[in-house]
Amino acid sequence: MVKPRDNEAEQALEAEDIALEAFIHALKLRHGYDFSEYSRASLKRRAQELARKLGVERVGDLIPSTLYEPALVREIVSHLSVPVSSLFRDPEVFQAMRSEVLPMLASWPRINIWLAGCAYGEEVYSLAIMLAEAGLTQRSQIYATDFNDYALERAAEGIFNRHNLGEYRSNYLASGGTARLSDYYHARYNLIRMRRELLEKVVFAHHNLVTDGVFAEAQLIMCRNVLIYFTQPLKDRVLTLFADSLVRGGFLVLGNKEALSPSSPAAERFELVSANERIYRLKRDWA
């Protein structure tokens, strides 16, 4: 026989799960942001953190704000979308790109790069620096997209905390940087601002991987540490979207906790370039 206290705890957990589904549904219907295929465990944790941040007790208490307080939607979406990164994050990935990907990109007269899920822009500036050092800037166009408009605004500003400079410098050197990182930013007070010329070939744009289609025909797509928040069916759909967006022989770079599952419908269209760094290439002979 189940103890009443245990039964009450189970009912509370069930109610919180129902509230989460109602919150997701309200956000989609009212504002068009669809989190319905995000991993429930991480989404529930972030929704609970958001509830505490906004001073309410339960996830269900977020629903009235979602429906009737449009000014809060930006904060809600920003919190749920987890825009966390660093300049040259996982430097071994950028090192592998310098040696394995950039020489091949250089064979194209024009290079389109789609950086999907650009968050606050650390990866945008890392990629721009790497292209500059390879002499590929003028032939390249970076399309940096995110569904979080606040993150896009932050990315375009290119302002980061000076407190992280030690990590940034270390990452840059480990990635194979050929200059000084300080050549690419201005420092003032507790902030650094990336040099504006790094954005010469960058376009920031709103794009939702959950609901939107092909954004651009690209030679390289980077989407790192985004798919880990998706359910498997959504991962498969997004990977197919990436395959449809790449030219033959184009490259796909995923996060270090992500991989192209053999069971994915898009898997047979790619060949592995670097297993540890999660770099793939669309097969040239794909029919």
Side-chain angles (χ1 to χ4, degrees):
M1 182 176 180
V2 178
K3 296 179 181 179
R5 182 175 297 176
D6 291 340
N7 190 43
E8 289 176 7
E10 290 175 4
Q11 289 178 359
L13 287 173
E14 182 182 2
E16 192 74 349
D17 289 339
I18 293 171
L20 178 64
E21 297 305 317
F23 169 57
I24 293 170
H25 195 54
L27 193 59
K28 179 180 179 180
L29 289 180
R30 184 72 175 85
H31 303 286
Y33 292 104
D34 188 358
F35 288 88
S36 60
E37 293 191 78
Y38 277 52
S39 168
R40 284 300 181 270
S42 61
L43 189 59
K44 183 177 182 179
R45 182 176 62 254
R46 282 176 278 148
Q48 290 170 335
E49 291 171 353
L50 177 62
R52 288 192 292 270
K53 181 180 179 182
L54 295 180
V56 296
E57 186 177 352
R58 296 175 293 267
V59 170
D61 297 325
L62 295 170
I63 297 173
S65 298
T66 301
L67 293 175
Y68 303 117
E69 299 181 46
L72 277 179
V73 171
R74 172 178 286 196
E75 184 173 359
I76 291 171
V77 172
S78 295
H79 194 92
L80 295 181
S81 59
V82 201
V84 177
S85 191
S86 174
L87 287 176
F88 293 95
R89 182 182 185 181
D90 303 321
E92 64 278 5
V93 173
F94 288 91
Q95 188 176 59
M97 290 178 63
R98 289 181 191 270
S99 61
E100 302 289 338
V101 177
L102 292 190
M104 303 306 299
L105 291 183
S107 66
W108 276 290
R110 178 175 174 80
I111 306 164
N112 285 337
I113 299 171
W114 180 13
L115 208 167
C118 71
Y120 290 155
E122 291 94 331
E123 209 154 70
V124 177
Y125 295 98
S126 303
L127 186 55
I129 290 170
M130 190 172 66
L131 290 170
E133 293 181 350
L136 296 176
T137 298
Q138 296 307 313
R139 279 197 280 152
S140 301
Q141 181 68 60
I142 300 174
Y143 297 99
T145 68
D146 206 287
F147 79 101
N148 183 339
D149 291 332
Y150 174 67
L152 287 172
E153 291 173 8
R154 286 276 304 272
E157 291 175 349
I159 299 175
F160 305 113
N161 196 319
R162 192 170 183 171
H163 176 75
N164 298 319
L165 262 180
E167 177 189 352
Y168 295 163
R169 291 193 185 108
S170 177
N171 286 350
Y172 171 69
L173 291 174
S175 76
T178 58
R180 297 177 304 175
L181 186 61
S182 58
D183 293 338
Y184 301 108
Y185 66 80
H186 301 284
R188 189 175 184 184
Y189 304 118
N190 294 321
L191 301 172
I192 65 170
R193 182 166 190 168
M194 306 306 293
R195 290 187 176 273
R196 308 317 293 161
E197 51 265 35
L198 290 172
L199 296 182
E200 178 186 359
K201 294 292 184 176
V202 177
V203 173
F204 292 100
H206 181 102
H207 184 276
N208 191 334
L209 289 172
V210 176
T211 57
D212 297 337
V214 171
F215 181 81
E217 184 180 65
Q219 280 74 30
L220 168 64
I221 295 176
M222 293 183 68
C223 184
R224 303 176 64 226
N225 304 310
V226 174
L227 300 185
I228 55 174
Y229 300 109
F230 293 172
T231 62
Q232 191 58 50
L234 180 55
K235 288 180 186 178
D236 293 341
R237 197 159 72 242
V238 171
L239 288 167
T240 298
L241 171 66
F242 290 157
D244 291 342
S245 302
L246 284 169
V247 301
R248 293 186 181 185
F251 293 88
L252 172 64
V253 182
L254 300 177
N256 60 1
K257 295 181 180 178
E258 301 161 336
L260 190 57
S261 170
S263 63
S264 172
E268 61 180 336
R269 300 172 66 178
F270 287 94
E271 58 189 10
L272 183 65
V273 175
S274 177
N276 289 336
E277 282 69 48
R278 305 296 198 270
I279 300 175
Y280 303 87
R281 192 174 191 187
L282 192 70
K283 295 177 180 177
R284 290 183 175 274
D285 59 354
W286 178 257

